Amino acid sequence: MQPLCHAEEGNALLQFKASLVIHRSASSDPSAYPKVASWKVDGESGDCCSWDGVECDRDSGHVIGLDLSSSCLYGSIDSNSSLFHLVQLRRLNLADNDFNNSKIPSGIRNLSRLFDLDLSYSSFSGQIPEEVLELSKLVFLDLGVNPLKLQKPGLQDLVEALTNLEVLHLSRVEISSKVPQIMANLSSLSSLSLRDCGLQGEFPMGIFRLPNLRFLSIRFNPYLMGYLPEFHWGSHLELLLLAGTSFSSQLPESIGNLKSLKEFDVAECYFSGVIPSSLGNLTKLKYLDLSHNNFSGKIPSTFVNLLQLTYLSLSSNNFSSGTLHWLCNLTKLTFVDFNLTNSYGEIPSCLGNLTQLTGLNLETNELTGQIPSWIGNQTQLISLYLAHNKLHGPISESIFRLPNLETLNLEENLFSGTVELGLLKSRSLVSFQLSGNNLSVIGNHNDSAALPKFQILGFGGCNLSGEFPSFLHGQNHLEFLELGGNKIEGHIPKWFMNLGTETLWYLDLFGNLLTEVADC
């Protein structure tokens, strides 16, 4: 039979509960709830070992684990907190609460038996105290996404002190230093996240070769330089996220040895050269982003093997021209970004096999033909970008009925015919751009009530004529409005001048026949 908890530890927990308030907005997780609400001293629930979030040792009855993540806790913690009386704790998780920008208390040193410490997403602020470095048994440390600094002591001090770490997550902690070479000695490390930490200098190549490393994220450190090493067989890497750094040179052919890789993100780096065909052999890949680099040559034909991909972005590189047909077998794709990939030809009808698409960006290519009819059946589609191509013909009304569509950009093509705003049924549409075609947009005051609230509207050169477009009545969320190059005449009405005064930052009326602004 499991022993009852120790009275002094139960009291310490109740005092800790009393020092904080429950506030629903203190946690962002939709499933968050106040675990401490069940903590009571009377009746069957008087044993703290039965309380929600509390774990006790089966033999001694001591409290060894406290998981109050996403518990809607609000308030400050200082070194006098009764929390630090729980000296037998092995695991402490206070993630996703709001501790009101209080500092991590120096009293944390009392919890010298801790193996796991998670204070992420909890509004702790200031310098991470040196007392954290005294927790020499730590295996798991997550202080990420807090307004914290790790400078005195710094990252090197932490790595030298906590040599047993398997998980180190410090995302968005202000570090602003080099990554110490000694980090490549943390042989037990399986997960390292240093996203957006202000890292500088050259990233130690030995970290890539840590024998147990599965997860590496150093994204969004623009002054962090580095190169990818030669990868050997047997690597356990599953996630390799380098986007937004100054990593450069070429991808090694040996990247094909990362057989466990599921996510590879090198967007907005300085990689160049031909993409190695071996990348197409990583058949477990679900997320691949090579966008905004300087890759050249052909997109590898082996990419047709990446059947598990759900996210693929190759945009803004210098690829040789090619068609899109090879995408048709990648039926699990939900997001495709091929903006500026030198793609040509018609949009293949077989892309209709990608029934889970939520985002499709084929902008700024040499695509011809008409918009294929299957796009009107893509009911999951949220964003569709086909601008700056050579597409022609009428725009199918079925696109305007897509129930989840939020962004539709068809500008700068050769589309013709009419677009009747009264037929627009996509109630979630907030960005709608048709400028630079041979289209005629037709709308009137009766349409205004039924139209969605736009933020971006581009009707430049869309043969609007007569008085100022009355369908804009009620469009008080507008941020960007392009009506240049039409035949709108008369005065700008008072109701429009009062529209979007809080939101509108771009307005183009150039090249119309407008005469004056109505008195406001």
Side-chain angles (χ1 to χ4, degrees), residues 300-313:
S301 59
T302 53
F303 276 16
V304 74
N305 300 324
L306 303 178
L307 299 178
Q308 301 304 313
L309 275 183
T310 59
Y311 183 106
L312 176 61
S313 178

Side-chain angles (χ1 to χ4, degrees), residues 228-253:
L228 289 180
E230 292 296 325
F231 293 102
H232 303 302
W233 286 93
S235 170
H236 298 294
L237 266 177
E238 295 179 25
L239 280 77
L240 183 52
L241 312 177
L242 311 178
T245 65
S246 290
F247 269 68
S248 60
S249 192
Q250 299 188 12
L251 300 184
E253 185 72 31

Side-chain angles (χ1 to χ4, degrees), residues 16-31:
F16 181 59
K17 171 186 175 180
S19 69
L20 301 166
V21 296
I22 292 172
H23 204 300
R24 183 61 189 84
S25 64
S27 297
S28 58
D29 189 329
S31 61

